[in-house]
């Protein structure tokens, strides 16, 4: 499933540059994740890089975008053309 950033985000900007799919962007109040681009780093890394680097642990799974590992891999292949 895609990830999401909660309103506990402190806008520290450490998550945006580590996202290999450019899914993270600066929203009106906090950083946000585009669920159409988020693969939880499947295809790139073993763990979601934004979750690994977030200093306040505000990036949980998005219950509104439930996807299997296979779905995430298919999205990765579509995004990267691989």
């Amino acid at each position: 499933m895609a990830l999401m950033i909660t309103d506990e985000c402190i806008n520290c900007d450490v998550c945006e540059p580590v996202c290999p799919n450019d899914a993270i962007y600066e929203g009106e109040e906090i950083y946000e994740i585009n669920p159409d681009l988020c693969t939880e780093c499947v295809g790139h890394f073993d763990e979601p890089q934004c979750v690994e680097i977030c200093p306040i642990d505000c990036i949980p799974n998005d219950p509104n975008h439930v996807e299997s590992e296979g779905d995430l891999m298919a999205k990765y292949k579509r995004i990267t053309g691989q």
Side-chain angles (χ1 to χ4, degrees), residues 21-34:
N21 296 325
D22 296 323
I24 301 174
Y25 61 95
E26 190 173 358
E28 283 189 35
E29 295 182 26
I30 61 173
Y31 279 85
E32 298 180 26
I33 297 177
N34 180 340

Side-chain angles (χ1 to χ4, degrees), residues 32-59:
E32 298 180 26
I33 297 177
N34 180 340
D36 294 332
L37 296 176
C38 179
T39 63
E40 292 187 43
C41 291
V42 168
H44 296 284
F45 301 102
D46 291 334
E47 299 292 328
Q49 297 302 286
C50 60
V51 173
E52 292 283 314
I53 201 166
C54 180
I56 59 167
D57 193 29
C58 69
I59 309 176

Side-chain angles (χ1 to χ4, degrees), residues 1-81:
M1 82 180 43
L3 300 170
M4 62 183 275
I5 298 175
T6 66
D7 59 6
E8 293 148 351
C9 174
I10 58 172
N11 290 318
C12 65
D13 189 34
V14 298
C15 60
E16 183 184 25
V18 299
C19 180
N21 296 325
D22 296 323
I24 301 174
Y25 61 95
E26 190 173 358
E28 283 189 35
E29 295 182 26
I30 61 173
Y31 279 85
E32 298 180 26
I33 297 177
N34 180 340
D36 294 332
L37 296 176
C38 179
T39 63
E40 292 187 43
C41 291
V42 168
H44 296 284
F45 301 102
D46 291 334
E47 299 292 328
Q49 297 302 286
C50 60
V51 173
E52 292 283 314
I53 201 166
C54 180
I56 59 167
D57 193 29
C58 69
I59 309 176
N61 289 326
D62 184 346
N64 296 317
H65 296 96
V66 177
E67 298 168 291
S68 70
E69 183 90 10
D71 293 337
L72 294 170
M73 181 56 79
K75 188 190 305 185
Y76 160 78
K77 289 178 180 179
R78 179 180 49 80
I79 291 169
T80 62

